[in-house]
């Protein structure tokens, strides 16, 4: 069964600290993996998208990594800001389809 | 418009009533998706429209759910005889459908449906 598992479920960090969110997937075939940020009451916004051949991709203070062999991805947030408080969702595209498989998300709270 | 627009933002209805949720995609986007997001769950695919092709309805949970996309633009998701388990946030997304970013989905803010 195609699944996307994210950990931790929730995380609290202090402003200025770094954190890493994890995503494991069992989706096959695989086309690409995306990380989305979803603010409370808003729709998800794309942060990064990586294909099979890409190991890392950055978007400002966000850096995503992908290990297609172990089917793991991580999202690293550097020097966190209060505005980083949101849910971060890992999404896998099984390829050839337009139905993405979404993880349940990690809820991040950044405290001053 | 500048982004995907959904209305209403919130909808409270009584069990057994019908509801209509509206989505205005980004102008020029040929692909449109509906998702359901329940508390603590990942987004659940409902239906996908691409241009004039027949929609992919494989995610619709029951025959009480239906969706239309008129003129290749605005879409309406209809839920008939609502049940309490239908309570969720319904998200709409659109994507260009062509070019390098053809599958990048841009989401609306969603409609929060509460069935009492």
């Amino acid at each position: 069964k195609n699944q996307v598992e994210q950990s931790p479920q929730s995380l609290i960090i202090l402003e200025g600290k770094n954190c890493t969110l994890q995503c494991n997937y069992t989706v096959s075939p695989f086309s690409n993996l995306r990380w989305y940020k979803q603010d409370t009451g808003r729709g998800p916004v794309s942060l990064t998208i990586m294909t099979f051949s890409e190991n890392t991709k950055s978007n400002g203070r966000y850096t995503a990594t992908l290990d297609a062999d172990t089917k793991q991805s991580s999202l690293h947030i550097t020097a966190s800001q209060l505005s980083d408080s949101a849910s971060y969702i890992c999404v896998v595209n099984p390829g050839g389809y337009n139905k993405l498989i979404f993880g349940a998300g990690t809820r991040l709270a950044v405290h001053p | 418009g500048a982004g995907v627009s959904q209305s209403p933002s919130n909808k409270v209805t009584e069990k057994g009533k019908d509801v209509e949720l509206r989505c205005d995609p980004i102008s020029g986007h040929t692909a449109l998706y509906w998702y359901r997001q329940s508390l603590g769950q990942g987004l659940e695919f409902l239906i996908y429209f691409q241009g004039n092709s027949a929609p992919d309805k494989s995610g619709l949970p029951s025959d009480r759910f239906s969706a239309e996309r008129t003129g290749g633009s605005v879409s309406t998701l209809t839920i008939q005889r609502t049940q309490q388990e239908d309570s969720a946030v319904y998200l709409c997304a659109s994507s260009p459908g062509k070019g390098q970013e053809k599958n990048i989905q841009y989401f609306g803010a969603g409609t929060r449906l509460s069935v009492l």
Side-chain angles (χ1 to χ4, degrees):
Chain A
K1 180 181 178 182
N2 287 335
Q3 286 187 315
V4 176
E5 302 287 341
Q6 291 188 244
S7 62
Q9 189 174 30
S10 62
L11 181 64
I12 299 174
I13 62 173
L14 294 177
E15 186 179 13
K17 298 296 186 181
N18 303 336
C19 68
T20 300
L21 315 180
Q22 299 292 341
C23 173
N24 296 337
Y25 60 94
T26 57
V27 177
S28 182
F30 174 89
S31 177
N32 57 64
L33 184 146
R34 313 163 190 218
W35 282 93
Y36 280 83
K37 178 186 178 187
Q38 185 175 20
D39 293 310
T40 301
R42 307 294 295 273
V45 174
S46 180
L47 293 175
T48 65
I49 178 169
M50 290 183 292
T51 60
F52 183 89
S53 60
E54 295 176 294
N55 301 119
T56 184
K57 183 165 283 190
S58 293
N59 178 359
R61 293 179 297 102
Y62 301 101
T63 299
T65 65
L66 173 65
D67 186 334
D69 291 330
T70 61
K71 297 188 176 182
Q72 295 179 326
S73 177
S74 66
L75 180 69
H76 186 74
I77 305 175
T78 304
S80 61
Q81 300 177 358
L82 298 179
S83 58
D84 293 332
S85 296
S87 286
Y88 291 84
I89 303 172
C90 176
V91 186
V92 179
N93 184 346
Y97 298 88
N98 283 294
K99 291 180 289 186
L100 306 180
I101 301 172
F102 291 76
T106 292
R107 183 172 295 277
L108 174 67
V110 180
H111 290 183
Chain B
V4 177
S5 177
Q6 291 188 245
S7 61
S9 55
N10 285 282
K11 177 71 176 178
V12 180
T13 190
E14 293 179 350
K15 178 182 173 180
K17 300 288 188 182
D18 298 351
V19 295
E20 284 189 352
L21 313 180
R22 177 187 169 102
C23 174
D24 282 273
I26 293 173
S27 177
H29 280 193
T30 60
L32 186 147
Y33 310 74
W34 281 99
Y35 295 93
R36 180 168 66 178
Q37 187 174 35
S38 302
L39 191 63
Q41 305 291 320
L43 273 71
E44 174 190 5
F45 166 79
L46 296 178
I47 189 169
Y48 162 67
F49 296 90
Q50 171 59 54
N52 295 321
S53 302
D56 178 352
K57 304 179 181 181
S58 60
L60 295 178
S62 77
D63 58 8
R64 296 186 296 105
F65 288 72
S66 63
E68 291 184 340
R69 189 178 186 193
T70 55
S73 181
V74 172
S75 177
T76 302
L77 176 69
T78 301
I79 308 173
Q80 296 178 308
R81 305 181 302 282
T82 52
Q83 304 295 313
Q84 289 184 332
E85 59 263 28
D86 299 334
S87 296
V89 175
Y90 290 83
L91 287 163
C92 174
S94 69
S95 61
K98 58 185 176 182
Q100 267 194 331
E101 295 194 347
K102 65 178 181 178
N103 288 329
I104 299 294
Q105 296 186 19
Y106 297 82
F107 285 82
T111 293
R112 181 175 297 277
L113 176 66
S114 299
V115 182
L116 304 179

